[in-house]
Amino acid sequence: METTQEKIIREFKKKFGVHIVADKDKLEIGIGYNRADEKRVNEYVESFLVDELSIYSSRVLKKSKLSHIVLCKNLASLGDKKAGLADLKLPGLAWFFFYFLCIDVEYPLDTYARQVVHHELYHLIDSVDDLNGLFDNEWKKLNPPSFKYNDDQPLSRQPSAIQGFISTYATSAVCEDKAETYAHMIVDYKGVEKRATKSFVLKTKMRRMKEL
């Protein structure tokens, strides 16, 4: 007899064409996670994830090559705790693969959790868009001439003190800058728009994101 979770996963697959994986642990070089509580996974899918993915057309989801979403707890990459991860292939090879998202469901279902979903999904969309997606030199030109991305700094999604960046995390790499800008625009467009009134760089990035 079909369990409640099996029914939820089946209906999700029917609606979005994406498989939910919630029944295993994983530990290997680069990534690790544990199986989350079944009740928590069910709640996450039914009361949260369905609503977040419903803003996307089937065409966009298909283009993203998103195949599976792993819902777990204790998600970590290279020893660092993560709320979400996108399984990215080499740029330009996306057409030959299908992609995964890993999301830690133990986080509160709040604004940050929403940003995680859209941030990680944007990485997939960006990487299949074209060869330039993850290393976008045109996007880099939107930054002040003296700015350089720095992936050695502590990562935080708190607002950045540097003008033109939606969060400190956005200053770590061009792909993170784009994903952070996108996710914040999806979750709090008016808030980003308000910040952009005081930052020409951020305003330009918003305009550029709408073009992509």
Side-chain angles (χ1 to χ4, degrees), residues 13 24 26 41 47 60 62 76 82 104-105 118 121 145 151 199 212:
K13 171 65 167 60
K24 60 182 67 177
K26 182 173 183 177
V41 170
S47 66
V60 171
K62 185 175 181 179
K82 301 290 185 180
D104 192 322
V105 300
H118 300 291
L121 182 57
D151 60 3
S199 171
L212 294 175

Side-chain angles (χ1 to χ4, degrees), residues 56 60 63-66 86 88-95 99 101 118-137 139 173-182 208-209 211-212:
Y56 297 97
V60 171
K63 181 182 178 182
S64 76
K65 295 287 182 176
L66 177 60
L88 298 176
K89 310 300 180 186
L90 291 174
L93 297 181
W95 297 110
Y99 282 171
L101 293 183
H118 300 291
H119 175 108
E120 302 304 339
L121 182 57
Y122 183 78
H123 279 317
L124 302 191
I125 296 170
D126 197 28
S127 66
V128 301
D129 192 30
D130 57 46
L131 288 172
N132 189 46
L134 298 178
F135 311 104
D136 198 333
N137 288 322
W139 182 276
V174 64
C175 60
E176 303 300 353
D177 190 6
K178 294 170 72 178
E180 280 288 274
T181 302
Y182 173 82
R208 175 60 178 161
M209 183 57 67
E211 297 171 352
L212 294 175

